[in-house]
């Protein structure tokens, strides 16, 4: 199914057409700011040419979504499964409260990517950011994996302030030679070679299948900082009496 959208097509009309069609592959051309595309859906592949609006793939439950353009805020909000691949940049709160599935971003993300990200039983969400992330990356992260590859050539830090604030679960892999900002005391950082981490190898190889301009071997032979909650100084201690 092919849908030709424009600024005059409401998000309600667009989403109804996407939801009600029996077609498993849907291409939307000219999308421009329509919200909630793919929300709660499973079993379909949605290709978006343009710029979808907020909450793309919210509560996604198994769809594959490709964005050939930029995405706005709250992509993958509380998603359970599936994959969102963005051939461009993503806005603030990418992967907000994400519980499963994968979000691959070619470029940068805004503030609070991975905020309240969590894992449950067999669900282990993954966010990979090809460029850099804004402030509060992984804020209150409780599970899952966040990877920032820093494929920018402008010399700027790959993440901004307050990375890992309130982090109490999960892991971050940050590709850089040194940490550009001070981390919260509840976060532990260890420098490693990416190729020595099997989980990271699998994630980056899959990521590079979507973005073949990135060389998986080159990326993995770089220095990464592995960020995890500090077991000796847990975030939860701020709210409990010991």
């Amino acid at each position: 199914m092919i849908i030709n959208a424009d600024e005059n097509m409401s998000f309600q009309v667009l989403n109804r057409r996407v939801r009600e069609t029996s077609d498993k592959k849907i291409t939307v051309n000219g999308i421009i700011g329509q919200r909630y595309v793919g929300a709660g859906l499973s079993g379909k592949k949605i290709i978006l040419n343009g710029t979808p609006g907020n909450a793309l793939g919210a509560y996604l439950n198994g769809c594959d979504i490709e964005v050939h353009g930029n995405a706005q805020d709250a992509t993958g909000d509380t998603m359970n499964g599936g994959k969102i691949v963005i051939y461009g940049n993503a806005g603030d709160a990418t992967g907000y409260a994400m519980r499963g599935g994968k979000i691959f971003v070619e470029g940068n993300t805004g503030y609070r990517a991975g905020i309240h990200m969590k894992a449950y039983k067999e669900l282990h969400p993954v966010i990979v950011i090809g460029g850099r992330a804004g402030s509060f990356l992984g804020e209150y992260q409780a599970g899952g994996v966040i990877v920032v590859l820093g494929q920018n050539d402008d010399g700027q830090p790959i993440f901004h302030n307050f990375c890992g604030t309130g982090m109490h679960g999960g892991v971050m892999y940050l590709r850089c030679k040194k940490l550009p900002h001070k981390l919260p005391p509840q976060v532990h950082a260890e420098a490693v070679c990416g190729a020595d981490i099997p989980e990271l190898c699998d994630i980056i190889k899959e990521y590079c299948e979507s973005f073949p301009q990135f060389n998986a071997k080159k990326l993995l032979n770089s220095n990464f900082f592995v960020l995890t909650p500090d077991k000796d100084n847990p975030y939860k201690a701020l709210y409990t009496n010991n």
Side-chain angles (χ1 to χ4, degrees):
M1 180 181 188
I2 297 176
I3 301 172
N4 293 312
D6 58 33
E7 66 272 16
N8 296 316
M9 178 178 283
S10 71
F11 73 90
Q12 295 99 328
V13 170
L14 175 58
N15 288 323
R16 183 168 62 249
R17 293 184 65 182
V18 170
R19 185 173 58 252
E20 293 179 354
T21 182
S22 60
D23 291 1
K24 298 299 183 182
K25 183 176 179 180
I26 304 156
T27 298
V28 181
N29 295 321
I31 188 167
I32 181 167
Q34 287 89 348
R35 296 170 285 169
Y36 312 122
V37 177
L41 291 183
S42 60
K44 294 182 178 183
K45 180 172 183 177
I46 304 172
I47 299 172
L48 304 174
N49 295 313
T51 303
N54 291 353
L56 167 71
Y59 302 98
L60 196 70
N61 207 28
C63 269
D64 287 337
I65 298 177
E66 289 183 5
V67 180
H68 295 271
N70 298 322
Q72 295 186 17
D73 298 342
T75 294
D77 182 349
T78 324
M79 68 183 282
N80 295 309
K83 182 189 287 188
I84 300 175
V85 180
I86 300 170
Y87 294 91
N89 302 314
D92 295 341
T94 299
Y96 177 88
M98 186 179 176
R99 301 183 291 200
K102 297 172 183 175
I103 299 176
F104 290 168
V105 181
E106 179 182 20
N108 305 321
T109 58
Y111 293 166
R112 291 187 162 90
I115 180 175
H116 289 298
M117 191 176 178
K118 55 186 70 72
Y120 179 70
K121 292 186 176 179
E122 75 282 359
L123 299 179
H124 296 280
V126 175
I127 298 174
V128 183
I129 301 161
R132 61 177 180 265
S135 296
F136 297 101
L137 173 69
E139 184 179 28
Y140 305 119
Q141 184 182 356
V145 179
I146 298 173
V147 182
V148 182
L149 296 176
Q151 293 291 292
N152 299 88
D153 297 324
D154 56 12
Q156 297 297 314
I158 70 164
F159 63 89
H160 288 272
N161 299 311
F162 312 116
C163 177
T165 299
M167 182 183 186
H168 54 283
V171 62
M172 293 189 217
Y173 300 110
L174 308 176
R175 181 176 172 266
C176 52
K177 294 180 180 179
K178 64 179 182 178
L179 293 172
H181 300 286
K182 184 178 180 181
L183 297 174
Q186 291 80 32
V187 175
H188 174 75
E190 179 181 2
V192 299
C193 177
D196 294 334
I197 309 172
E199 175 185 53
L200 183 60
C201 290
D202 291 340
I203 291 171
I204 289 182
K205 287 176 183 177
E206 182 179 354
Y207 177 86
C208 289
E209 290 176 0
S210 295
F211 304 105
Q213 72 271 29
F214 293 165
N215 184 288
K217 184 176 180 180
K218 178 181 177 181
L219 292 172
L220 289 167
N221 284 328
S222 302
N223 186 80
F224 282 80
F225 281 90
V226 182
L227 271 55
T228 53
D230 189 341
K231 296 179 181 178
D232 296 326
N233 188 14
Y235 177 75
K236 65 181 181 181
L238 296 176
Y239 296 99
T240 59
N241 294 321
N242 295 311

